[in-house]
Amino acid sequence: MHELTRTEAIDLVGRGEAEQELPETMRADVRMLGALLGRVLRESGSPGLYEDVERLRQATIAAYTDESPEAFERAAAIAESFSIERADEVARAFTVYFHLVNLAEEHQRVRVLRERDGRPEKEDAADSVAAAFVRLAAEVGDDTALQRLRELRFHPVFTAHPTEARRRAVSTSIRRLVRLLGEYDQSDQGGADQRRAERRMLEEIDTLWRTAPLRAEKPTPVDEVRAIMAVFDETLYTAVPHVYRRVDDALQGPAAGSRAPIVRPFVRLGTWVGGDRDGNPFVTASVTKKAAGIASEHILLGLENSANRIAKTLTLSSETTPPNAELTALLQRLAGADEEGAVDAAKRAKVEPHKRVMLLIKRRITATRRRDADLAYRVPEELLADLATVQASLVAAGAPRQAYGHLQQLLWQVETFGFHLAELEVRQHSAVHAKVLAECESGDTLSTQAEEVLEVFRTISQIQQRYGVGAAGRYIVSFTQSAADLQTVHRLARHAAGPGGTPPVLDVIPLFETFADLQAAPGIMAEIVTDPAFAARLDATGRHLEVMLGYSDSSKDVGPVAANLALYEAQAKIAAWAQDEGIHLTLFHGRGGALGRGGGPANSAILAQPPHSVDGRFKLTEQGEVIFARYGDPNIAMRHIDQVAAAVLLASAPSIEARNSEAAARYADVAATMDAASRERFFSLVKADGFASWFATVTPMEEIGLLALGSRPARRGLSVESLEDLRAIPWVFAWSQARINLAGWFGLGTALESVGDAEVLRRAYDEWPLFRTVIDNVGMSLAKADDRIARRYLDLGDRPDLADLVADEMALTKRWVVLIAGGDDLLANKPVLQRAVKMRSPYVDALSLLQLRALRTLRQGDVADADLAPWQRLLLLSVSGVSAGLQNTG
């Protein structure tokens, strides 16, 4: 095997403490990938590129390590010295580096998960569904715990919010590299297979280097739909039933697979991709219909292939495994409806009745996909009934392992995904509804917008008729501010259906986003359940009800501290109201990947929720880069689903509910002090004269709009005159790019200073889960920030008063977080995460220095219009690279 010398390789891990504490297997992967990247750069045809990358890399590591102003200035001077062409190449090199180190980290996670093989990380950890069940049963008894397990529901909803900065071509190249790294890992050291895998990795890294990192144009909503399908095809279709199997194996032990499973399918998928039209004029009724069709095509093709594979394995003769009467009747019915298929099945399975039935079931699934009305299944329940008949016959014939093996997996897949894969949810702004309803009731000719809104309801009806009611019907109302905002949706649906027509089945879901709306939420819900249309649907669902809470706008509205406290209070009040009304409440959490948008570890957040606000049901949005980080690899997806579902199950344990309730009461005065102080501090910044334009100057917010990240516009108007003009996602994204991460922490330092008692705050950290979650999340947010680089961004705005306000609050917050969490630095109590951040930070710094140079050049206006394009490109390249380095930017 060709070995590069140390000077030829890009040393991706450096020489510091962080490197020494990394697992040796990961260090070996990173060194090998670095050697390959170094070789690619040397062969790139750009003289001196490798040496320039190394100069900047070594300088930023030195600046990060000794923290002296001189070292930082040396690194900045190197970034300033490059020609624009060289800066472009260096930015691309560091971005490729982050893609490689990200995949090495992911590979290490997969390696650890495989070694553990489903065992908990710690002996006493209840971080799997099976372990959570055991702990819950110890508190409430086996019967109650089993009932709660069977009612468990985890409902992730994928959205197309524009925070995934990678092109799909780049993502695809990375997935190929992941597979090749796995092959390399499993090959004999120095053997032919390993050499072949290394050669192919070198080729792939060269391809990644040569692939344009920026999209030439924004993806369309249909492009976004197809991108999400890749996650389903490659991961979720098989990963979800494997989670069920793992839980059942743990609970049933040796008997698993030979008798009916204990676990019921507890995952349901939702999607806003192709359905979320709030602020996105490109999502039309036609797009929504196409999105439903694409998703259905994928799931039906998956079910068709699964049924065919199972048919091939059911080579059980009628002598050893005789069919029961129900299977014989089903075979006759299927054969009568499909004479051609019956002849073919009889040839392929002369004495194998179960195989013959599965072959005919496969043909019916194919007919469903091809819309052959004579043979197609009308609804998934028909397919489930046929599969259940096959299963029962196998059990009766003494073949339970065939009944509860792959066939059971197919049953789970149909129950989880139906014929629609993920329920397509529609979202629209309440103001749009009000405007369109006024038009409908005026009697005048309807505007194009009104016609489009009404067509959406007709499209929902068509989707329900084609794929079943479960395929669509949840309708989210953004900025719900009154019960009338929800009533309007039902009225519009009736207008769309017309006289004598039948409107679609709708579950209208309020989305409470601002601080004021969160406070008003309990009253609005109490009022809306008296509305006849709403009450009728509530009764039809067995009194199940969803309420959505927005993390992004509430944080932008009053600051992250007050928003977190307001969200907790709103959840507690809505949950208490639902309990009193006998309503089965599901709170839908509109969380993003970044901490300023409710991001952070989901399982710890779930276990910090108020009593009865979870009750075995948890729904959240999965957005941007988070989708591929959590669901891109089957092993990681299974672990994520298992962890979150475990927390959902355990959240209803009496001990957890009592702990959260008692802590909230005990620290109510602390919460009130923090709420008032943090809001005042936040308002002193965002309500200052000229803040919005200053923010647009000191961050790459304006330029982010040039990135072809997603189909949705980044802001509501043409320019940013106030925060109301700006969507929450670019607000968070821009601050993260400036290495400030302000949206995740601003105001917390002042809030903690107002409490002032370090001992009280340390006790709160130990006893109050919500407070601990806030402190830990802010610790991670600040660890990924950099005060020296942040200061350079802040100084771009020529407002020292605002720059000092941010810098002072940053320092104050960091001091208090370290004091409360313990240790001598941020994340000292989370050494694995701390090492990962420290390893990455110097390399992110390199890209930030290049971005600063580009941003300063664009802000100063010294470049002629004809020469702007290379500087804009450099800035956008650095945005993509910083996103890859920070990982949870949106």
Side-chain angles (χ1 to χ4, degrees):
M1 183 175 68
H2 173 72
E3 291 283 355
L4 295 181
T5 65
R6 172 61 67 179
T7 55
E8 287 179 296
I10 292 290
D11 186 355
L12 299 184
V13 290
R15 298 283 196 289
E17 244 175 77
E19 178 203 6
Q20 297 306 319
E21 295 173 338
L22 290 170
E24 175 53 39
T25 50
M26 181 179 165
R27 280 194 286 158
D29 289 342
V30 170
R31 281 195 298 267
M32 184 264 297
L33 291 169
L36 297 179
L37 176 57
R39 185 170 174 181
V40 165
L41 294 182
R42 282 189 172 279
E43 295 173 356
S44 68
S46 182
L49 172 59
Y50 169 81
E51 289 75 14
D52 283 342
V53 170
E54 271 295 278
R55 277 200 303 137
L56 183 57
R57 184 190 71 82
Q58 291 173 3
T60 52
I61 289 175
Y64 186 82
T65 303
D66 68 18
E67 298 185 356
S68 68
E70 295 78 16
F72 183 76
E73 290 300 330
R74 282 194 295 273
I78 293 172
E80 294 286 337
S81 71
F82 296 142
S83 67
I84 183 63
E85 295 78 15
R86 176 65 89 211
D88 183 299
E89 291 177 318
V90 171
R92 285 171 50 214
F94 275 97
T95 300
V96 172
Y97 150 70
F98 278 124
H99 293 322
L100 296 179
V101 81
N102 286 348
L103 75 88
E105 284 186 355
E106 179 183 299
H107 187 65
Q108 179 63 20
R109 284 185 66 196
V110 171
R111 184 185 283 128
V112 170
L113 289 172
R114 284 176 176 163
E115 288 172 356
R116 283 172 45 199
D117 192 26
R119 293 186 300 275
E121 195 169 338
K122 299 176 182 177
E123 287 301 318
D124 60 344
D127 60 351
S128 68
V129 172
F133 174 83
V134 172
R135 180 170 164 184
L136 181 63
E139 293 192 35
V140 301
D142 289 348
D143 291 344
T144 300
L146 184 59
Q147 183 61 29
R148 291 184 183 179
L149 176 63
R150 287 175 171 167
E151 294 173 351
L152 179 66
R153 181 60 53 88
F154 171 47
H155 195 151
V157 178
F158 295 159
T159 78
H161 286 319
T163 60
E164 170 59 83
R166 295 184 308 197
R167 285 184 62 206
R168 189 175 175 186
V170 171
S171 298
T172 302
S173 179
I174 291 168
R175 300 298 344 147
R176 289 195 296 265
L177 273 167
V178 168
R179 287 191 288 272
L180 289 170
L181 186 56
E183 292 176 15
Y184 180 91
D185 211 19
Q186 294 164 18
S187 303
D188 292 335
Q189 183 69 33
D193 288 344
Q194 192 174 74
R195 290 197 300 273
R196 182 166 54 252
E198 182 179 354
R199 177 184 56 74
R200 291 175 63 197
M201 279 192 287
L202 180 62
E203 178 186 348
E204 196 61 59
I205 292 171
D206 191 41
T207 298
L208 187 59
W209 165 251
R210 295 171 184 275
T211 298
L214 302 175
R215 296 183 181 97
E217 56 187 27
K218 283 180 175 286
T220 68
V222 173
D223 292 334
E224 292 170 335
V225 172
R226 296 192 188 283
I228 291 295
M229 288 302 106
V231 175
F232 169 75
D233 291 343
E234 296 173 15
T235 302
L236 288 174
Y237 183 68
T238 53
V240 171
H242 283 165
V243 173
Y244 303 153
R245 179 66 71 191
R246 180 177 289 177
V247 175
D248 202 61
D249 286 349
L251 294 178
Q252 297 215 65
S258 64
R259 64 186 184 192
I262 293 175
V263 67
R264 291 177 181 171
F266 54 77
V267 176
R268 294 296 183 273
L269 298 183
T271 178
W272 283 10
V273 188
D276 181 11
R277 58 243 311 127
D278 177 15
N280 191 342
F282 306 110
V283 177
T284 62
S286 173
V287 165
T288 299
K289 190 182 298 185
K290 286 180 184 176
I294 291 168
S296 180
E297 172 76 14
H298 278 257
I299 180 57
L300 287 170
L301 191 58
L303 296 176
E304 182 182 328
N305 291 334
S306 294
N308 193 46
R309 283 195 299 271
I310 292 168
K312 290 179 178 179
T313 64
L314 283 180
T315 55
L316 316 176
S317 75
S318 55
E319 288 186 7
T320 62
T321 317
N324 64 8
E326 288 77 12
L327 188 90
T328 301
L330 174 60
L331 178 55
Q332 291 174 348
R333 190 168 69 250
L334 292 172
D338 183 9
E339 293 182 6
E340 181 182 339
V343 170
D344 179 67
K347 287 180 181 178
R348 296 172 60 185
K350 291 182 180 179
V351 294
E352 300 154 346
H354 294 92
K355 177 176 181 177
R356 195 183 303 183
V357 169
M358 284 303 304
L359 288 169
L360 291 171
I361 287 174
K362 179 262 179 186
R363 284 178 59 87
R364 286 201 70 184
I365 298 172
T366 303
T368 307
R369 181 171 60 84
R370 293 176 176 172
R371 305 191 69 173
D372 178 353
D374 291 337
L375 196 55
Y377 286 109
R378 292 181 300 109
V379 290
E381 288 73 19
E382 291 183 351
L383 172 57
L384 284 170
D386 286 357
L387 294 174
T389 298
V390 177
Q391 187 176 62
S393 178
L394 288 167
V395 171
R401 295 201 177 279
Q402 285 72 28
Y404 300 121
H406 289 298
L407 179 59
Q408 180 61 55
Q409 180 163 314
L410 178 56
L411 278 156
W412 279 333
Q413 287 166 321
V414 178
E415 289 179 271
T416 299
F417 305 118
F419 289 166
H420 56 277
L421 196 162
E423 180 176 0
L424 187 57
E425 300 186 356
V426 170
R427 183 173 73 139
Q428 184 55 282
H429 199 290
S430 59
V432 173
H433 293 147
K435 180 176 180 292
V436 172
L437 182 62
E439 286 190 43
C440 290
E441 295 181 344
S442 71
D444 296 335
T445 303
L446 295 181
S447 65
T448 302
Q449 182 187 43
E451 291 284 8
E452 172 62 29
V453 168
L454 296 181
E455 186 60 28
V456 171
F457 291 101
R458 299 181 192 113
T459 296
I460 294 172
S461 288
Q462 292 165 8
I463 292 171
Q464 290 180 346
Q465 291 164 13
R466 172 73 180 87
Y467 309 111
V469 172
R474 282 180 166 87
Y475 197 111
I476 294 101
V477 182
S478 299
F479 283 91
T480 297
Q481 297 179 322
S482 68
D485 289 335
L486 305 176
Q487 293 165 339
T488 297
V489 176
H490 286 292
R491 294 168 68 182
L492 287 170
R494 290 193 292 271
H495 277 288
T502 302
V505 177
L506 294 176
D507 291 304
V508 182
I509 300 169
L511 169 49
F512 298 111
E513 300 182 75
T514 67
F515 180 74
D517 295 343
L518 288 169
Q519 291 186 312
I524 292 172
M525 297 313 300
E527 181 181 351
I528 192 58
V529 294
T530 64
D531 175 77
F534 211 91
R537 182 59 185 159
L538 191 61
D539 290 340
T541 60
R543 297 188 70 75
H544 281 78
L545 180 67
E546 275 188 31
V547 174
M548 185 172 182
L549 304 171
Y551 286 67
S552 307
D553 281 283
S554 58
S555 181
K556 185 166 69 77
D557 192 25
V558 293
V561 178
N564 269 288
L565 295 170
L567 283 159
Y568 185 92
E569 182 182 2
Q571 289 176 73
K573 288 181 176 178
I574 294 170
W577 164 80
Q579 281 284 109
D580 291 343
E581 294 292 325
I583 288 172
H584 303 287
L585 175 70
T586 297
L587 288 173
F588 181 7
H589 300 262
R591 292 159 51 98
L595 302 174
R597 301 191 53 241
N603 50 331
S604 60
I606 292 165
L607 292 172
Q609 300 304 305
H612 302 296
S613 63
V614 179
D615 271 354
R617 298 174 295 276
F618 188 70
K619 185 177 179 184
L620 82 165
T621 52
E622 299 279 32
Q623 305 180 0
E625 77 283 350
V626 169
I627 294 174
F628 294 94
R630 290 178 178 165
Y631 301 99
D633 178 89
N635 295 279
I636 293 173
M638 286 190 287
R639 176 60 176 153
H640 173 68
I641 293 168
D642 200 16
Q643 275 189 311
V644 173
V648 174
L649 183 63
L650 196 57
S652 61
S655 62
I656 300 293
E657 294 196 332
R659 179 197 65 182
N660 294 352
S661 180
E662 290 166 8
R666 187 180 311 125
Y667 294 103
D669 290 343
V670 171
T673 299
M674 291 177 60
D675 175 59
S678 68
R679 263 190 291 156
E680 183 179 354
R681 183 69 159 172
F682 186 74
F683 291 157
S684 71
L685 176 68
V686 300
K687 294 184 183 295
D689 289 342
F691 169 77
S693 59
W694 176 78
F695 161 66
T697 301
V698 303
T699 69
M701 192 278 298
E702 294 283 354
E703 287 74 17
I704 285 171
L706 300 175
L707 267 178
L709 293 178
S711 64
R712 194 171 184 229
R715 54 180 182 259
R716 294 181 172 93
L718 295 176
S719 63
V720 177
E721 299 296 334
S722 70
L723 283 189
E724 286 71 32
D725 296 327
L726 185 68
R727 296 194 178 280
I729 295 166
W731 160 257
V732 174
F733 199 7
W735 283 121
S736 70
Q737 286 289 320
R739 304 296 300 286
I740 300 169
N741 291 337
L742 178 144
W745 56 262
F746 192 88
L748 177 62
T750 295
L752 298 172
E753 184 86 5
S754 296
V755 176
D757 191 326
E759 286 306 311
V760 168
L761 291 170
R762 287 195 191 100
R763 280 201 307 274
Y765 183 74
D766 290 335
E767 300 172 0
W768 184 16
L770 175 66
F771 183 72
R772 186 182 190 93
T773 298
V774 169
I775 294 296
D776 286 347
N777 284 347
V778 168
M780 181 164 67
S781 184
L782 287 171
K784 292 186 175 185
D786 185 283
D787 52 0
R788 295 175 301 179
I789 288 175
R791 188 72 213 200
R792 294 201 170 207
Y793 278 95
L794 294 171
D795 288 343
L796 291 174
D798 197 25
R799 282 289 300 272
D801 57 329
L802 298 181
D804 289 345
L805 182 60
V806 172
D808 291 347
E809 185 67 18
M810 192 175 187
L812 182 64
T813 304
K814 179 178 178 179
R815 181 168 66 81
W816 271 105
V817 167
V818 171
L819 185 65
I820 292 166
D824 57 1
D825 201 359
L826 294 165
L827 301 180
N829 60 338
K830 296 181 180 296
V832 175
L833 181 58
Q834 186 187 56
R835 288 195 296 270
V837 171
K838 285 185 174 182
M839 185 186 76
R840 289 166 173 276
S841 290
Y843 299 89
V844 182
D845 293 350
L847 283 162
S848 292
L849 289 172
L850 293 171
Q851 185 180 112
L852 261 168
R853 182 185 175 195
L855 192 60
R856 188 185 307 111
T857 300
L858 294 170
R859 293 290 180 269
Q860 289 172 347
D862 296 336
V863 180
D865 289 350
D867 298 326
L868 281 177
W871 292 102
Q872 289 175 334
R873 173 181 160 82
L874 174 60
L875 191 140
L876 298 181
L877 283 170
S878 66
V879 166
S880 178
V882 170
S883 296
L886 295 177
Q887 290 187 296
N888 56 353
T889 55

